[in-house]
Amino acid sequence: MLLVTAAVLVGRHIQDTSRTLFVDWPPLLASWGPHLGPGTPAAVLLAITTVAYGPTLAARLPWRTLLPVTWGAATTWIFSLALIDGWDRGIAHRLTTRYEYLRVIDRFDDIPAALRDFTHHILLDSPDNWPAHIAGHPPAATLTFVLLDRIGLRGGGWAGMWCITVGATACVAVLVTLRLLADETLARRAAPFLVLAPAAVWMGTSADAYFAAVAAWAVALLALAVTARSLWWAGASGLLFGLTCYLSYGLTLVALIAAAVLVLGRHGVRERPALLVPLLAGLAVVPAAFTLAGFDWWEAYRLLVTRYHQGAGGIRPYGYWVWANLACTVLITGLATAAGLRRTGTALLHVRTATPARAASTRLAFLVSAALLALLIADLSGMSKAETERIWLPFAVWLLPSCALLPHPRAWLTGQVVLALLLNHLLSTGW
């Protein structure tokens, strides 16, 4: 709470005096605008119902039933929060602004030619330079929406629903991973917190929600591979990891979470080291395809760094954002996660004296800590100054399981939903 308060007050002072933050309501890219909308009743009703019955249902439902119920509840929560801003502003127009992917669909009529020419339009002074989000990501991000358009799912409405429905599956991927690498009890305790995360405010509608889901399923399939000793799951995991790196440059840091999975599942790898062959083969598929098509990932990233410093990224003060970004993380993961991370640290400190009953908590803590480390590296890199409430969604979903270590889940869930509802009703968010 102190961190967020400091980020708001210091940010307000910097923005009022030097106007170098390029956000209207620091540390968030948002503006003050109290409002209600058609999604308000549904969001409030779902919040009350999930807080009241979520922990009990998560503990009692059969596992195969819990997963689709969790996905359905998360989808409804994200969708209802987005509709607080109305269908047009909350969903249909989110991905059609001048910074977004749908603005360049017509430039991909010839996809191979567009990929060969992609790096020539990254810099601000290049001819027909790409809008910010297209320039800031490898072309797999844009191609997703190009392909949606090609199959008839045209316009911002379809693109928005794609990001919501696919993005909501990230919580299922996290649950699958927790059950395999920690235990089912902790996964069940984490389920309501994954559903009612304040991050849902930014998952509807942002392409980063879709990126988060792809990255989460890459990790989940890796967990399946090492626990079931399955070559097929290993290959599928590698394929998704390759795709993840071509959706967002920063998501190469998901490799740290993958490394944690390999450490936790090391017995499976030792028993069947051949798992690494399909994993690496799958990992090479997407990079090879894009390279053969003429897109150079490393050159594009080098140019992106230059582009980043040509724009607001080169003006925004690192000294503020390096800690204000963490305040954004508090807002998207909630105070429950802050408390859960303290317990995560405690579990790791007592790893040598942990009883068998506490071993599952230690494994969960190790996985969460890997995600936190990835987030901190992204923060220190200086390539994520502002808008991290959206950009860091793929890391945030892996911090939320720390809430499974908390007592009194309904009290903490209440705090989570109150924060999400206040943020969505008091602020007008954007990116």
Side-chain angles (χ1 to χ4, degrees):
M1 292 176 67
L2 289 172
L3 177 65
V4 172
T5 301
V8 172
L9 296 178
V10 173
R12 186 72 271 159
H13 173 73
I14 294 174
Q15 184 63 7
D16 287 343
T17 55
S18 64
R19 307 199 66 81
T20 56
L21 298 187
F22 296 94
V23 294
D24 292 329
W25 204 87
L28 300 175
L29 183 64
S31 56
W32 181 258
H35 62 287
L36 299 174
T40 298
V44 172
L45 179 61
L46 180 66
I48 293 172
T49 303
T50 307
V51 169
Y53 301 105
T56 302
L57 286 174
R60 295 180 179 177
L61 284 175
W63 181 256
R64 290 180 180 271
T65 303
L66 176 63
L67 294 182
V69 168
T70 300
W71 172 66
T75 302
T76 306
W77 177 238
I78 298 169
F79 187 65
S80 60
L81 288 176
L83 284 180
I84 291 171
D85 293 329
W87 170 259
D88 286 340
R89 189 182 181 282
I91 297 176
H93 290 168
R94 287 283 191 180
L95 296 171
T96 63
T97 67
R98 63 192 181 98
Y99 302 110
E100 287 286 0
Y101 304 97
L102 268 61
R103 296 299 291 267
V104 300
I105 295 293
D106 58 342
R107 293 175 62 177
F108 280 78
D109 289 337
D110 185 341
I111 292 177
L115 292 178
R116 289 193 299 271
D117 201 40
F118 193 89
T119 56
H120 298 153
H121 305 286
I122 292 178
L123 297 179
L124 273 179
D125 53 6
S126 61
D128 297 322
N129 62 78
W130 297 119
H133 288 183
I134 291 82
H137 295 82
T142 307
L143 280 181
T144 299
F145 300 101
V146 171
L147 294 176
L148 284 176
D149 184 82
R150 292 283 177 88
I151 64 174
L153 303 181
R154 298 182 177 89
W158 283 112
M161 291 307 299
W162 166 267
C163 292
I164 289 174
T165 54
V166 175
T169 68
C171 65
V172 179
V174 174
L175 288 181
V176 169
T177 307
L178 294 179
R179 183 175 185 250
L180 293 169
L181 299 179
D183 70 7
E184 187 172 318
T185 300
L186 285 174
R188 289 176 177 274
R189 287 180 62 85
F193 291 96
L194 288 163
V195 169
L196 294 180
V201 173
W202 290 274
M203 293 186 81
T205 303
S206 165
D208 293 86
Y210 156 56
F211 305 160
V214 175
W217 279 109
V219 174
L221 293 182
L222 182 59
L224 280 167
V226 297
T227 53
R229 283 74 161 171
S230 169
L231 299 177
W232 290 104
W233 287 131
S237 174
L239 190 65
L240 286 186
F241 273 119
L243 176 59
T244 298
C245 294
Y246 277 73
L247 290 172
S248 174
Y249 298 103
L251 290 188
T252 52
L253 289 171
V254 174
L256 293 172
I257 306 175
V261 171
L262 291 175
V263 171
L264 293 172
R266 59 190 177 276
H267 297 301
V269 178
R270 286 173 183 168
E271 290 181 12
R272 198 173 189 185
L275 289 171
L276 297 178
V277 175
L279 176 66
L280 295 175
L283 182 61
V285 170
V286 173
F290 276 93
T291 302
L292 290 173
F295 172 74
D296 187 333
W297 192 96
W298 292 103
E299 174 66 7
Y301 180 70
R302 183 187 68 79
L303 292 170
L304 169 63
V305 173
T306 302
R307 164 77 179 255
Y308 185 74
H309 290 97
Q310 285 179 329
I315 301 173
R316 285 170 169 157
Y318 180 86
Y320 170 76
W321 288 110
V322 73
W323 59 271
N325 284 337
L326 302 180
C328 289
T329 305
V330 173
L331 291 172
I332 64 175
T333 59
L335 294 177
T337 303
L341 289 175
R342 186 195 68 79
R343 288 176 175 258
T344 295
T346 301
L348 289 177
L349 287 174
H350 295 89
V351 63
R352 293 185 179 276
T353 58
T355 63
R358 296 178 62 183
S361 297
T362 302
R363 293 193 296 271
L364 180 147
F366 185 72
L367 189 65
V368 169
S369 298
L372 181 60
L373 177 61
L375 184 148
L376 292 175
I377 292 173
D379 187 32
L380 293 173
S381 73
M383 288 295 290
S384 297
K385 289 181 285 190
E387 301 183 56
T388 51
E389 63 270 21
R390 165 186 62 82
I391 298 169
W392 287 355
L393 288 174
F395 306 122
V397 296
W398 293 100
L399 301 182
L400 294 167
S402 64
C403 299
L405 303 176
L406 297 172
H408 315 300
R410 286 186 178 87
W412 287 108
L413 282 170
T414 300
Q416 296 289 86
V417 299
V418 168
L419 175 60
L421 291 171
L422 286 175
L423 286 169
N424 216 143
H425 283 92
L426 296 179
L427 299 177
S428 178
T429 59
W431 42 83

